[in-house]
Amino acid sequence: TVEAHGKTNKAKAAAFAFALSALGDAALCHNDYKETELSFVLGLVAFLAAQWCYVYCFSKTKTKSRAGKQGSGLVRTLGCYAYAGGLYAFLYGNLGQIKIPVLFYCVSIATTFASSLDAASRSKHNQSSVFGILGAVLFVMSDSSLALNMFVGPVVPHARLVI
């Protein structure tokens, strides 16, 4: 069926996203941004691609009427983009020549976060939706901590633990 085929494609996209994330981790492992900008950008690109795979995974397979939920979805989405925009504005003065790649990454992380929250809102509020939201929040916290400590300085205490 179309729905089963969609689930298979989403499972493949999730596996690909995990592989891209591992590649991103390898590129950033023990990376000193100031000395190895290329490895940082390669890690950023790998994570960017992984995030768009996750967005695909979080997307709806079937279109259903969501009357009454569109307003709350818009608020969630705007909140995600406001957070990412605020983080980018805070980092901006310290980004040097990678302002544009980091801007794309911030837009991507906001899209991934908003998509995961939207997927959780469509679920039956079971254990998997709770873990989905928790995973998305931890992902945003981890990337935010990494960015703050990398570009601003040691801002987040125990950042390695958070990351």
Side-chain angles (χ1 to χ4, degrees), residues 15 18-19 30 35 63 71 82 85 111 122-124 132 139 143 145 160:
F18 292 139
H30 305 293
E35 293 178 17
T63 304
T111 303
R122 290 190 317 268
S123 74
K124 295 179 174 58
F139 176 70
D143 275 21
S145 299
R160 293 262 184 220

Side-chain angles (χ1 to χ4, degrees), residues 63-75:
T63 304
K64 293 181 181 177
S65 172
R66 294 182 55 198
K69 289 191 174 184
Q70 291 176 347
S72 62
L74 179 62
V75 170

Side-chain angles (χ1 to χ4, degrees), residues 3 9 18 23 30 33 37 46-47 50 67 92 115 117 123 143 148:
E3 186 173 340
N9 285 342
F18 292 139
L23 180 65
H30 305 293
Y33 160 69
E37 188 172 311
F47 284 122
Y92 186 83
S115 297
L117 295 177
S123 74
D143 275 21
L148 288 167

Side-chain angles (χ1 to χ4, degrees), residues 32-102:
D32 181 1
Y33 160 69
K34 311 246 184 304
E35 293 178 17
T36 56
E37 188 172 311
L38 179 61
S39 101
F40 176 77
V41 171
L42 289 175
L44 194 74
V45 168
F47 284 122
L48 183 75
Q51 287 178 20
W52 286 101
C53 289
Y54 291 128
V55 168
Y56 171 73
C57 292
F58 293 135
S59 67
K60 293 187 279 186
T61 303
K62 293 192 246 180
T63 304
K64 293 181 181 177
S65 172
R66 294 182 55 198
K69 289 191 174 184
Q70 291 176 347
S72 62
L74 179 62
V75 170
R76 275 193 307 273
T77 300
L78 290 176
C80 292
Y81 285 101
Y83 174 80
L87 180 63
Y88 182 73
F90 190 75
L91 298 172
Y92 186 83
N94 299 309
L95 294 176
Q97 301 217 356
I98 61 167
K99 286 180 174 75
I100 300 299
V102 172

